[in-house]
Amino acid sequence: GKAVESRLQVSSGAIRAGRRAIALDRVERVGIVAIGKAAPAMAEAVPEPIREKMSFGIILTKEGYKRDVDGFEIREAGHPLPTRESIRATDEIVELVSELAEEDLLLVLISGGASALLASPVKEVGLNDTVTLTQQMLDAGMDIESMNVVRAHLSRVKGGRLAVAANPASVLTLALSDVVGDKLPAIGGGPTVADPSRFKDAVAALKKVNLWDDIPDSVREYLEAGNRGEIPESPKPGDPRLGRAFAAVVGGPRTLLRAA
């Protein structure tokens, strides 16, 4: 909550987040989506002038982390493995953000656990094989950045696709980092930022930990098809559909390092 308060403010008639300023009177509606284990605290810290324009507010958090926040609906789902609840909540979020217009703003608050909670696997892979793959990657000791490279190429929302769904609305993302290096594409699967990785990187990540031959056939076939260019890549830096999306890290390992 304090991390959000320090970086998200309303002053002189504008919403300010770091170097980004959005005139409040030009924003028709605000949709707020908070995802992760810190989602309730982050949502609660959104300034009142922003919440007054809220057309919807969804908190998606881990089972057992639920806490009521005025004006928000709460959804719980599985972590570290996605569940049917993850998919239901994610589909609901995609439907809501898809209804936003050019004069609207989508505020996305991301924290640890978002990768599993915000889950909408491509139909060719489905939930069961996604769960199997996730467990295999965890057992293999893959770092979170490599896991999210793989996830970004098997998802309908990760790797910038949630921001594409919200286009042409403005998108403002504030993230609490739980990854070394604080790289936005690696935090929560980077649902609202450009994904610099490619299908070949996902394949390489799985081969590096000797999982390629053991993963579900649906995953291997999908990644191979993408590597051949038969499936579109995730949105890359410079993609015009992400031209109105801005993201910033509001806290993470570097914050703790400086404090220490």
Side-chain angles (χ1 to χ4, degrees):
K2 289 182 179 179
V4 172
E5 286 174 3
S6 68
R7 291 296 296 273
L8 181 65
Q9 295 154 357
V10 176
S11 63
S12 302
I15 300 169
R16 301 182 185 276
R19 298 185 303 274
R20 188 76 167 183
I22 302 170
L24 194 59
D25 61 359
R26 293 186 182 179
V27 176
E28 189 71 28
R29 300 178 299 166
V30 177
I32 305 178
V33 177
I35 311 157
K37 288 177 277 187
M42 293 180 81
E44 202 167 40
V46 175
E48 191 60 36
I50 297 176
R51 290 165 70 165
E52 286 174 357
K53 292 203 170 194
M54 191 166 68
S55 61
F56 65 83
I58 297 285
I59 293 172
L60 175 54
T61 193
K62 181 177 178 176
E63 292 168 351
Y65 282 61
K66 180 177 180 179
R67 191 176 85 228
D68 290 338
V69 179
D70 285 347
F72 287 83
E73 295 186 39
I74 315 288
R75 304 287 182 267
E76 292 181 290
H79 173 273
L81 300 176
T83 58
R84 293 284 173 199
E85 288 73 23
S86 305
I87 293 178
R88 276 196 288 269
T90 301
D91 289 346
E92 179 183 6
I93 289 170
V94 170
E95 185 175 343
L96 286 169
V97 307
S98 298
E99 295 172 356
L100 294 173
E102 188 172 358
E103 64 276 11
D104 298 332
L105 169 68
L106 173 63
L107 176 60
V108 182
L109 307 170
I110 294 178
S111 57
S115 297
L117 295 166
L118 191 72
S120 183
V122 294
K123 67 179 186 301
E124 291 88 346
V125 174
L127 176 62
N128 291 338
D129 283 354
T130 297
V131 169
T132 298
L133 173 68
T134 304
Q135 188 64 64
Q136 288 175 318
M137 292 193 294
L138 289 168
D139 292 343
M142 283 181 77
D143 62 83
I144 189 65
E145 189 169 349
S146 297
M147 286 182 67
N148 281 338
V149 165
V150 175
R151 285 164 160 165
H153 292 86
L154 299 168
S155 171
R156 298 191 301 119
V157 289
K158 294 179 172 62
R161 294 181 182 89
L162 184 64
V164 170
N167 188 56
S170 296
V171 180
L172 176 59
T173 302
L174 301 180
L176 274 179
S177 170
D178 59 348
V179 299
V180 174
D182 297 346
K183 295 178 181 177
L184 281 161
I187 303 172
T192 57
V193 297
D195 173 28
S197 70
R198 298 187 174 275
F199 276 102
K200 65 179 181 181
D201 299 313
V203 173
L206 291 166
K207 287 184 175 179
K208 184 178 180 180
V209 292
N210 300 314
L211 277 181
W212 183 249
D213 294 331
D214 299 323
I215 58 176
D217 291 342
S218 65
V219 174
R220 188 167 47 253
E221 290 165 6
Y222 190 83
L223 292 178
E224 284 176 335
N227 206 17
R228 291 193 299 267
E230 297 168 11
I231 299 169
E233 288 279 1
S234 50
K236 301 295 173 232
D239 191 309
R241 296 172 297 175
L242 300 179
R244 303 187 68 197
F246 172 80
V249 174
V250 298
R254 289 180 183 174
T255 312
L256 304 179
L257 180 61
R258 283 195 299 271

